[in-house]
Amino acid sequence: MSSDGDAADDDHAWARYAARMVGELAGRGHLHHPAWQTAFAEIPRHKLLPDADSIADPELEFASTAVATVAGPDGADIPCASPVQLAGLLEALRVEDDHRVLEVGTGTGYGAALLGHRLGDTAVCSIDRAAGLIATTRDRLASIGRHPRLDARDVLGGWPEQAPYDRILVTRAVSAVPWDWAEQLAEDGILAVSLAMAGEAGPLALLRRVSGRLEGRLARRLVRLPALAAGAQAALSPRRRAALHDEFVTRLPPEPWHTHPLVWFLAALQLPRPWHEDDTTMLSSPDGSWCSIALTPDDEGYRVVRQGGGVSIWSRVEAAFGWWHEWGQPSWDRFGLTVTPHGQYRVWRDSPDQVISRFVRFVP
């Protein structure tokens, strides 16, 4: 083991790794507020990671991008937000000293520890689905002197007994916003949530509770969070696919959810997740409409697109690229979202009266 590893037995050795991590987060523009910088510097992250009673690998355990995993209710590993992801979430939350916060998705307890350091443990409630996970995390938090309120429950229902909250922080992307969360927010409170797009992690929305709705802008940076209870997309069988009605070529990238996530957000909020078949990307919609895009272009950069059904899926993507260019390639924070109690969503540009998309989503 290296000299860094030998130093792991020293209870205070981790502090220099944490300080280096804070410097990296601040230098990259992810961490600005002095109180959050202090919290990240003073919470021993390695003590909260599974099977890590000491610093086994400081390059991983105090790396700003390191994603930890914990066991979920079904025994499968659940990825937990990395320090850089949590820094973006916590900064965006804009907490004040007297705020109470609900964290949805306890995971390793790192987020709850950081919130407790900033606000005091009694102001922090955190929930996750697995009772065993909560029990383990509670013990690990206690070992570093942190005692937030934790509970195992259906996270989509929030924790109404502890409401109201000034802020709700959701550490995993969701396909729809449960209205229970909105009802547990104090008036003018803020919900920070990432809305998953067609199976891919989407933008962070900062939604304020006002007059019976949630409304707010998207964060400037894309915060890629693991999805909450994401399932594999079942491919449509050939018999379920609508007949081919269109074939053309495109020069657009075949996987815009990777290369142009904002454009994908504009185009694909109502589509299931993509998947691959042979040398193509496949997309479908619930009515059986589908499209395939060749991953490999020809010598002139064109890819073959085939689509069928009542929804011209790739045409929607083409249109979204057109809007984006027409509007001057705006960044995420030019867009906003309004959510109503009945699962109605409105995506808007610059102000809520400039609606560019309407759709309905319900919590599964």
Side-chain angles (χ1 to χ4, degrees):
M1 185 176 291
S2 67
S3 59
D4 280 352
D6 294 335
D9 294 331
D10 184 344
D11 288 342
H12 301 289
W14 61 269
R16 73 172 184 272
Y17 305 127
R20 185 172 63 188
M21 179 182 70
V22 169
E24 181 181 344
L25 291 170
R28 293 169 58 190
H30 296 292
L31 202 58
H32 301 91
H33 198 289
W36 287 127
Q37 292 180 0
T38 301
F40 275 84
E42 295 184 357
I43 294 297
R45 181 174 187 258
H46 65 291
K47 293 287 188 180
L48 302 175
L49 300 181
D51 304 318
D53 294 324
S54 63
I55 308 175
D57 185 353
E59 298 301 326
L60 175 63
E61 292 163 15
F62 286 94
S64 64
T65 57
V67 175
T69 59
V70 295
D74 58 358
D77 285 343
I78 298 173
C80 298
S82 66
V84 70
Q85 291 168 330
L86 277 172
L89 291 171
L90 294 171
E91 287 270 5
L93 211 55
R94 300 196 296 272
V95 297
E96 302 292 342
D97 291 346
D98 59 347
H99 279 172
R100 298 184 69 250
V101 178
L102 171 66
E103 179 192 38
V104 178
T106 307
T108 64
Y110 189 42
L114 292 165
L115 285 164
H117 188 289
R118 172 75 173 83
L119 301 172
D121 289 338
T122 59
V124 178
C125 298
S126 185
I127 56 176
D128 219 310
R129 285 177 166 168
L133 168 62
I134 288 294
T136 299
T137 300
R138 181 181 285 112
D139 289 343
R140 288 189 176 132
L141 285 166
S143 74
I144 64 169
R146 301 251 62 102
H147 302 278
R149 301 176 184 182
L150 308 182
D151 197 29
R153 56 177 52 233
D154 177 7
V155 295
L156 298 179
W159 195 352
E161 295 84 357
Q162 299 291 338
Y165 308 102
D166 301 287
R167 299 288 188 267
I168 296 179
L169 173 65
V170 187
T171 62
R172 295 169 201 155
V174 296
S175 59
V177 178
W179 196 250
D180 284 343
W181 294 349
E183 290 182 335
Q184 293 167 36
L185 269 177
E187 188 70 12
D188 211 38
I190 293 176
L191 166 68
V193 61
S194 175
L195 190 65
M197 311 175 300
E200 297 292 323
L204 178 65
L206 303 173
L207 305 177
R208 191 178 296 273
R209 184 179 180 181
V210 288
S211 303
R213 68 184 186 278
L214 292 172
E215 189 168 82
R217 290 187 179 274
L218 306 182
R220 177 177 290 273
R221 284 193 175 93
L222 181 64
V223 179
R224 293 189 180 276
L225 295 174
L228 178 67
Q233 169 67 28
L236 288 175
S237 70
R239 286 178 295 183
R240 288 185 58 203
R241 292 180 193 164
L244 174 68
H245 73 72
D246 202 3
E247 181 172 325
F248 54 97
V249 293
T250 183
R251 274 187 157 171
L252 295 179
E255 298 178 308
W257 45 93
H258 294 317
T259 58
H260 295 78
L262 195 156
V263 175
W264 182 243
F265 171 74
L266 298 177
L269 280 167
Q270 300 178 69
L271 299 177
R273 69 174 62 231
W275 74 95
H276 290 124
E277 284 189 5
D278 301 323
D279 192 34
T280 62
T281 290
M282 300 293 301
L283 299 168
S284 68
S285 62
D287 70 343
S289 299
W290 62 277
C291 78
S292 67
I293 311 96
L295 292 173
T296 304
D298 62 19
D299 292 341
E300 296 182 357
Y302 289 100
R303 294 177 172 84
V304 175
V305 177
R306 296 181 175 90
Q307 60 185 17
V311 178
S312 298
I313 294 175
W314 194 252
S315 300
R316 181 182 295 179
V317 177
E318 299 256 6
F321 268 99
W323 300 334
W324 185 60
H325 285 291
E326 179 184 339
W327 296 332
Q329 302 183 18
S331 59
W332 286 106
D333 56 348
R334 289 276 302 279
F335 297 92
L337 186 69
T338 301
V339 184
T340 73
H342 306 295
Q344 297 173 332
Y345 293 72
R346 297 192 295 272
V347 179
W348 40 268
R349 178 172 57 94
D350 295 329
S351 66
D353 60 349
Q354 297 189 51
V355 177
I356 59 176
S357 178
R358 300 174 188 266
F359 58 95
V360 176
R361 274 193 177 179
F362 298 104
V363 175

